[in-house]
Amino acid sequence: MTAREIRLGSNVFAVGAIDWDRRLFDELIPLPDGTTYNSYIIKGKDKTALIDTVDPTKAKDLIGNLKALKVDRIDYVISDHAEQDHSGSIPRILELYPTAKVVTNQKCKEMLIEHLLVAEDRFITVADRETISLGDKKLEFIFAPWIHWPETMFTYLREDKVLFTCDFLGSHLATSDLFAVDRRKVYGSAKRYYAEIMMPFRTNIKSNLEKIDGLKIEIIATSHGPIYDNPSFMIGAYKEWISDEVKNEVVIPYVSMHGSTRAMIDRFIDVLIGKGMSVKPFDLPRTDLGELAMSLVDAATIVIGTPTVLTGPHPAAVYAAFLANALRPKTRYVSIIGSFGWGGKMPETIKGLIPNLKAELIDPVIIKGYPKAGDLLKIDTLAEMIYNKHQADPMVKKGA
Ligand code: FEO
């Protein structure tokens, strides 16, 4: 990424890197659109600060941008988050700028020492709401723990009304756009990012959003994806995602080996659609799990479909249940549709995998062999029950 001033005359420059080709994060999270590691240089009258760095695989890009801007001195390297995609190039920067100090909170300092072997004497530790001066500009540090690590914080540049939020409100989206101009695309990428990374911390996000409510913010500069010159666009989206309201929608992650479970899922989908409900089926062995995670953000109900394999659920269904449990969506109802050949404890195993879902369990429909007419009527009843629950539940937005 070429270094670019984020607003004319601000002396705040984006100096990070675009990773067009990365397709997996943490060896787990699919990145269909790559990502960016955003880093910013702020040239004050007296001091210069670098806000976060980049993934170590892209250190060259960051260093190239600093050279292009003729940054011959960095006084402060602000570390808002210790995860290596933002902190991994700190050691290299400290080598290149031997008088630079890492400015961060105590917890983040401990992590940087632990994970990156940064020497203890290179740190300045700050408290919540403490400020440091760059001469004509001041940086304020706002602790925002657990989005999504315990040490996370924001940096606020009051003079320019810029809030640096690191992961928070970001998106895995490689783009040459410095700002979020393609809102539809950015919304989707940010929702995926929220689902995969932030959703388990919904409660903390609420309180951290409240912390920034009173700040005058014109630009939110995240560390992934394009930045926002209309902050209410993404803050509004987050407020919706973290609210307790859900959509009149049923997410159906399913797998079928010989067609029995599939026949029931097909019937289930048809009946729900006939009732005017929104349905999101995912054929698990062929599903992008990021898409599944996104669908969990605001659906009222999850129904897992699985046959019985070696007395338990199919491993693809186990993974989906594990994922849903880990991501802790605000789901209101959950059920299971499944089949078996000769026996097993499939439903019990699934139930045991989802203790974090604070959802009402609706009686599963588990049948032997291929579904007969009576079995399909049970599917109809399940769909009817879910429909009625949604209708009666004030937290389910109707018409969605
Ligand atoms: Fe983008 Fe939590 O690191």
Side-chain angles (χ1 to χ4, degrees), residues 32-312:
D33 299 308
T35 192
T36 67
Y37 316 109
N38 304 341
S39 171
Y40 304 91
I41 198 89
I42 306 173
K43 290 180 171 178
K45 190 164 69 64
D46 301 328
K47 306 274 188 191
T48 297
L50 179 70
I51 310 275
D52 293 312
T53 66
V54 299
D55 191 90
T57 56
K58 294 287 178 185
K60 254 181 151 177
D61 294 29
L62 169 62
I63 293 163
N65 285 334
L66 294 174
K67 280 190 180 148
L69 286 175
K70 300 188 174 23
V71 176
D72 52 11
R73 179 191 164 105
I74 292 176
D75 299 283
Y76 305 122
V77 179
I78 314 299
S79 182
D80 283 329
H81 177 28
E83 193 165 8
Q84 289 85 340
D85 51 326
H86 310 293
S87 67
S89 298
I90 289 179
R92 185 80 186 102
I93 292 294
L94 294 181
E95 274 173 30
L96 288 173
Y97 297 91
T99 59
K101 296 279 188 187
V102 179
V103 179
T104 192
N105 58 70
Q106 179 62 28
K107 206 175 276 289
C108 189
K109 172 185 168 180
E110 287 164 17
M111 288 177 149
L112 295 175
I113 291 172
E114 188 71 38
H115 294 290
L116 297 169
L117 314 180
V118 177
E120 187 147 12
D121 63 359
R122 298 301 298 267
F123 286 92
I124 295 172
T125 309
V126 291
D128 190 21
R129 298 285 176 170
E130 195 172 333
T131 60
I132 59 165
S133 173
L134 306 180
D136 55 339
K137 297 177 191 287
K138 207 185 265 181
L139 298 178
E140 180 176 349
F141 306 103
I142 302 168
F143 289 12
W146 288 112
I147 51 171
H148 59 129
W149 280 21
E151 86 302 358
T152 43
M153 68 177 196
F154 306 142
T155 299
Y156 180 49
L157 176 56
R158 189 176 296 273
E159 289 75 11
D160 295 277
K161 302 184 182 71
V162 182
L163 183 70
F164 300 93
T165 56
C166 203
D167 281 342
F168 188 52
L169 307 171
S171 60
H172 282 311
L173 175 60
T175 169
S176 53
D177 294 333
L178 181 59
F179 289 96
V181 285
D182 184 349
R183 289 228 190 144
R184 193 183 161 89
K185 178 69 184 169
V186 175
Y187 180 93
S189 299
K191 187 172 185 182
R192 175 187 272 261
Y193 189 86
Y194 167 83
E196 292 167 332
I197 294 162
M198 297 294 165
M199 188 155 64
F201 306 96
R202 199 162 65 95
T203 316
N204 304 75
I205 287 171
K206 263 183 200 165
S207 57
N208 285 317
L209 272 177
E210 282 162 16
K211 272 193 168 184
I212 62 171
D213 242 359
L215 300 179
K216 287 195 171 69
I217 304 170
E218 288 182 0
I219 292 179
I220 288 184
T222 59
S223 290
H224 291 296
I227 64 182
Y228 307 103
D229 55 0
N230 180 352
S232 60
F233 157 57
M234 195 43 61
I235 289 178
Y238 260 63
K239 283 186 176 166
E240 197 180 311
W241 298 334
I242 64 172
S243 81
D244 292 330
E245 281 196 327
V246 289
K247 288 184 183 166
N248 185 18
E249 194 166 276
V250 182
V251 170
I252 310 167
Y254 74 93
V255 52
S256 184
M257 296 192 299
H258 299 294
S260 301
T261 301
R262 178 66 195 251
M264 289 190 287
I265 294 294
D266 284 347
R267 172 75 162 230
F268 186 54
I269 290 169
D270 283 349
V271 179
L272 291 173
I273 290 175
K275 290 181 173 300
M277 298 172 77
S278 180
V279 181
K280 287 193 176 161
F282 293 92
D283 181 12
L284 287 168
R286 290 157 197 84
T287 287
D288 168 350
L289 289 171
E291 291 285 336
L292 173 58
M294 268 172 88
S295 76
L296 297 177
V297 169
D298 39 25
T301 296
I302 305 173
V303 176
I304 297 173
T306 178
T308 302
V309 183
L310 300 173
T311 75

Side-chain angles (χ1 to χ4, degrees), residues 322-385:
F322 180 87
L323 185 72
N325 188 62
L327 294 178
R328 298 169 180 256
K330 52 189 178 183
T331 314
R332 310 275 299 167
Y333 309 99
V334 66
S335 192
I336 306 163
I337 290 175
S339 58
F340 62 93
W342 50 89
K345 294 181 179 167
M346 180 269 282
E348 289 73 19
T349 308
I350 295 260
K351 284 180 217 167
L353 285 167
I354 50 175
N356 291 342
L357 294 187
K358 303 302 174 208
E360 180 184 333
L361 179 71
I362 301 177
D363 276 348
V365 177
I366 311 297
I367 62 121
K368 184 171 186 177
Y370 197 81
K372 292 87 187 166
D375 300 320
L376 294 175
L377 289 176
K378 289 181 189 164
I379 292 291
D380 297 351
T381 304
L382 176 63
E384 181 73 25
M385 283 175 74

